[in-house]
Amino acid sequence: MSKEVEEPLKSVGSASPGRWITEEELSQLKADLKESQETLEAIRNGEVDAIVVTGNSIYTLAGAEQPYRIYVEQMQEGAVTVAGDGLILYCNRKFADMIGAPLEGVIGSVVLSCLSTDTWAKISAVVGAESVVKHESVLRRRNGEEIPVNCTASKLCLADQNVICLVVTDLTLQKVDEELRLAKEVAERANLAKDDFLATLSHELRTPLTPALMAVSALQQDQTLSPRAQADLAMIRRNIVLETRLIDDLLDLTRITHNKLELLEVPLELHSVLQNSIDVCVAGIEAKTLDLSLNLSASETDTTGDMVRLQQVFWNVIRNATKFTPIGGAIRISTSNPQSGQFRVTVADSGVGFDPADAEKLFESFRQLGDGATRRSGGLGLGLAISRAIVNAHGGRIWAESPGSNLGAAIHVELPLRRTAGPETSEAAPSAAASAGLRILLVEDHEDTRYVFQAMLSQKGHSVKCAATGEAALALASSEAFDLVISDLGLPDFSGTELMTILQGRYSLRGVALSGYGMEEDIRRSKSAGFAYHLTKPVDPAKIDQLLANLTREIRESAITLQETPSIPAAQ
């Protein structure tokens, strides 16, 4: 009996000739059959969330435990599982909503339909790395729109598949917030740049006005000049003061914007304040031959407040009526006490008027109703806006009324009357002798200002030595004795504040800052450096006289005190 070699059956099927397979192929076939059986069993038991068939490949995503499935579905971010070749095996409802497609239309599609090639290259690199990959990109919606997203990819460790878990976060709101933050920063930088510009512009405009105002003031004291010359000088002075007022309006607007409008509380009589404002405006009223009538019937007029600021309010209101009233028109100024403890000023005119609906617009910054009126009347459109801020700071209110265009207008200013227990005090005007005899070091790099200032101070009896730079001032101070230094803050070699610090430290000199910069921060810096006073250009000569009188008195009182102080004998 021949010995038969037993070999395992290696053909498939009995009807066809079949073919022989290797042991490895047989093992793979058994494994595939087992996987298919397990897949069918998982589908039957609900353990598979998705099955995707493409070509000859079958991808399955095994189901998680119920709590984790619920968590993924309720995430506010898009959750996606992607095969190594870019096929989307699974996604939650959020991701489908993000790309604007139904859930069943997303699963089985390729990820490149919603992400760029570059983004997919960065994300898929996580397969060969152990770390998580984060990448900010855009997600393409099915309608062609793009939304900013952040993609966080991590590798899902499976035995036979390269699967990437992807969390997609919508950055739309974050980008909007970032844009708003950047816009705010840009606006704040622009606002600071505007403040710096206004401060610099103020300085450059004020500097040449100083010698002009001083020269005019000196000429007005010359009694030999003809009436025509005196009238011309008065006109020049008015326009210098007007130019200064326009500059001050710009700075006041900045103070108001930053809530830094400061008030000086002193006892005052409101009819006197109003009359001072009228006096300033009379020339403009007469130039247009306007009929001015006064009815100052208020019986209660004593209060406390900032006299200069309130005069500024009345001046703005009267000037506004003058500007918008045609030649030959009328202005009526009246006062009353609507009730005890209240004072009201009404300035009514027969001018261009305005639509009643635009009443509040009059108090907006840089706003004048009617382009034609703006061009004809000039101005910056800041007067009434600043007036409202000042009145509000005094606890009052200001409003405007008009029946309509070309029917005239009225502006009302109402203030509460605030009284103090202390008696009203008034400062007497200085005598010539009281402010004479100071040894003054004048430091000013603007030649015209230095020349006029020196002439004015010398005329008052002071001994004045001048310097155009800080170094020159230090050289003079080292060789001569001075009672006072008056210094510009913007010197060519170093700042006036630096100069004052040195002079006060070495020689205990009192100082007066002279500057075109008049913001609160400028005043604070000058006083911190040792300046006793800060004068903003252009300086009224009368104010200089008053200041020098006060300083002369302080210096003399200080000298008397030192002389009367008994000396202490040295210890034996």
Side-chain angles (χ1 to χ4, degrees), residues 64 68 86 100 147 154 160 164 175 223 253 316 321 348 471 473 566:
Y68 294 100
I147 59 175
S154 57
D160 56 351
I164 300 172
K175 291 294 184 183
Q223 301 300 321
L253 180 64
N316 280 330
E471 289 293 343

Side-chain angles (χ1 to χ4, degrees), residues 52 88-89 91-93 96 99 101-109 142:
V52 180
I88 296 178
L89 306 176
C91 75
N92 62 358
R93 179 70 61 183
I99 63 174
L103 185 63
E104 58 273 15
V106 180
I107 298 176
S109 65
R142 292 295 169 87

Side-chain angles (χ1 to χ4, degrees), residues 156-371:
L156 182 63
C157 298
L158 297 179
D160 56 351
Q161 297 183 36
N162 291 325
V163 179
I164 300 172
C165 289
L166 190 62
V167 176
V168 183
T169 304
D170 189 347
L171 300 179
T172 301
L173 294 178
Q174 180 178 328
K175 291 294 184 183
V176 171
D177 291 341
E178 184 177 350
E179 290 176 1
L180 290 174
R181 179 182 58 80
L182 290 175
K184 182 181 178 182
E185 290 179 357
V186 170
E188 289 175 348
R189 287 196 297 269
N191 193 50
L192 289 175
K194 177 208 69 176
D195 291 347
D196 291 341
F197 169 75
L198 289 178
T200 303
L201 178 65
S202 167
H203 177 270
E204 295 303 319
L205 292 177
R206 287 175 184 274
T207 296
L209 292 177
T210 299
L213 181 60
M214 289 183 175
V216 168
S217 298
L219 288 172
Q220 284 183 304
Q221 296 177 11
D222 187 350
Q223 301 300 321
T224 64
L225 293 177
S226 67
R228 173 60 185 272
Q230 288 287 356
D232 289 343
L233 289 173
M235 178 270 295
I236 294 172
R237 183 185 180 89
R238 283 197 306 272
N239 282 276
I240 293 174
V241 172
L242 175 60
E243 188 73 23
T244 306
R245 185 68 266 164
L246 293 176
I247 298 170
D248 288 342
D249 281 350
L250 288 172
L251 297 181
D252 280 344
L253 180 64
T254 301
R255 294 185 183 102
I256 292 167
T257 302
H258 295 291
N259 294 320
K260 292 184 177 180
L261 184 65
E262 296 182 356
L263 300 180
L264 178 62
E265 296 284 340
V266 297
L268 53 89
E269 199 275 320
L270 288 169
H271 275 168
S272 297
V273 177
L274 178 60
Q275 189 61 58
N276 290 339
S277 303
I278 295 172
D279 292 342
V280 175
C281 298
V282 161
I285 294 172
E286 292 176 347
K288 298 181 72 172
T289 62
L290 302 179
D291 180 21
L292 175 64
S293 62
L294 302 179
N295 181 17
L296 309 183
S297 60
S299 58
E300 298 179 50
T301 59
D302 292 328
T303 186
T304 59
D306 192 315
M307 182 174 62
V308 175
R309 289 296 188 182
L310 289 177
Q311 184 171 319
Q312 180 182 357
V313 170
F314 298 150
W315 181 85
N316 280 330
V317 173
I318 298 170
R319 181 169 174 268
N320 185 79
T322 305
K323 285 169 56 179
F324 295 102
T325 301
I327 294 174
I331 296 178
R332 299 175 302 279
I333 302 176
S334 62
T335 65
S336 62
N337 298 117
Q339 62 184 46
S340 180
Q342 284 188 343
F343 177 86
R344 180 184 296 176
V345 177
T346 298
V347 179
D349 62 67
S350 60
V352 298
F354 54 87
D355 187 327
D358 292 333
E360 282 300 305
K361 295 180 180 178
L362 268 70
F363 299 95
E364 296 177 2
S365 299
F366 300 105
R367 184 64 178 264
Q368 290 181 338
L369 302 182
D371 292 337

